[in-house]
Amino acid sequence: MLRVANDKLLSISEFAKLAGTTRRTLIFYDQKDVFKPMKIEETGYRYYSYEPLYQIGFILGLRDLGFSVEEIKDYLGGSSRDALNKKLISLKNKIELRIQNLKQLLAILRQKENDNFQLTDVDFYVVKECFLPDHDFWCSDPKADCSEAEIASSCNQFYQELGTGVMANKNLSGFITDLPQAKANTYANSGFRIIKKIIQSKSQHPDY
């Protein structure tokens, strides 16, 4: 059971425990005039009431999101609410995009688990000639006469721009070349593009 100082107020250690923070953090915010205690005795001991627990939680949340002490101070003082609200909206959009990407990755992992699909089953060094039905593909910029390291770097950049988890799914991917036939001895030096079958609307991916 928590000991209540002065019959109604909490000591700084008790309040810090309730707020999920530290005594040092509360002293820091007091010194920066961001979050003040209810009472400071002549001995220097700080005391807090229960009411501002929500406010300190809000402040700690803003700090976790990357807001500076000065930004939080201005916001609480009402001098820059519009600017901070815009930043909050921007962060919200980034978080929502991250959640969307994680959901996509989770769906891919579940598909991989269900189908027992292994990336090691794919031979990236075998040239195959095939005919495919009409379909839309994401396509990289043209490349030519690349080393293995340059090809790997191009693939990495291509899939990063497409979004999290795209490389791991089973939809058709590979290279398209300008060779008249699939000739393995000239494939390495030919011009090519990296391709990936589109599984979502174009509005969710960059243009190529």
Side-chain angles (χ1 to χ4, degrees):
M1 183 175 180
L2 293 174
R3 176 178 58 82
V4 179
N6 292 347
D7 295 329
K8 294 182 179 180
L9 301 179
L10 300 170
S11 71
I12 187 171
S13 296
E14 292 168 336
F15 187 82
K17 183 177 180 180
L18 280 177
T21 187
T22 65
R23 179 177 176 275
R24 182 187 295 271
T25 298
L26 293 176
I27 293 174
F28 173 76
Y29 287 145
D30 180 16
Q31 293 171 341
K32 294 294 184 179
D33 294 325
V34 174
F35 184 78
K36 308 294 290 184
M38 181 68 68
K39 176 182 177 181
I40 302 180
E41 291 189 342
E42 293 181 359
T43 57
Y45 288 110
R46 294 169 171 83
Y47 293 96
Y48 299 80
S49 66
Y50 288 94
E51 286 76 10
L53 277 171
Y54 172 80
Q55 184 181 27
I56 188 61
F58 180 68
I59 292 170
L60 294 172
L62 291 178
R63 287 292 286 156
D64 286 341
L65 290 173
F67 289 89
S68 69
V69 171
E70 288 303 317
E71 286 175 326
I72 296 172
K73 185 176 178 180
D74 289 343
Y75 179 80
L76 295 175
S79 60
S80 63
R81 289 181 179 267
D82 289 342
L84 192 63
N85 283 335
K86 288 180 181 179
K87 190 170 182 178
L88 284 170
I89 291 172
S90 176
L91 283 170
K92 177 183 71 70
N93 293 337
K94 290 180 181 179
I95 291 171
E96 288 176 346
L97 179 60
R98 178 62 175 164
I99 291 173
Q100 177 183 334
N101 287 336
L102 288 173
K103 286 181 177 179
Q104 179 189 14
L105 180 59
L106 179 60
I108 291 169
L109 291 174
R110 285 173 174 167
Q111 180 188 51
K112 183 174 182 289
E113 182 180 28
N114 292 336
D115 297 342
N116 195 26
F117 175 70
Q118 299 293 332
L119 286 176
T120 53
D121 295 337
V122 181
D123 191 340
F124 293 101
Y125 297 95
V126 174
V127 179
K128 297 180 180 180
E129 182 178 12
C130 59
F131 296 93
L132 301 172
D134 290 341
H135 206 289
D136 292 329
F137 288 82
W138 295 115
C139 189
S140 73
D141 293 332
K143 310 290 181 181
D145 196 17
C146 294
S147 66
E148 187 172 354
E150 289 171 334
I151 293 174
S153 176
S154 297
C155 287
N156 181 60
Q157 180 182 358
F158 177 67
Y159 285 110
Q160 281 186 353
E161 291 175 346
L162 287 185
T164 303
V166 172
M167 185 176 182
N169 70 45
K170 293 181 61 177
N171 287 279
L172 184 65
S173 62
F175 301 87
I176 184 170
T177 78
D178 54 8
L179 292 175
Q181 298 180 26
K183 296 181 179 179
N185 61 335
T186 58
Y187 181 74
N189 298 323
S190 66
F192 68 91
R193 291 174 182 262
I194 308 164
I195 60 172
K196 184 69 177 178
K197 183 178 178 181
I198 295 175
I199 58 174
Q200 294 185 353
S201 64
K202 294 183 179 181
S203 61
Q204 297 180 0
H205 291 297
D207 294 329
Y208 287 93

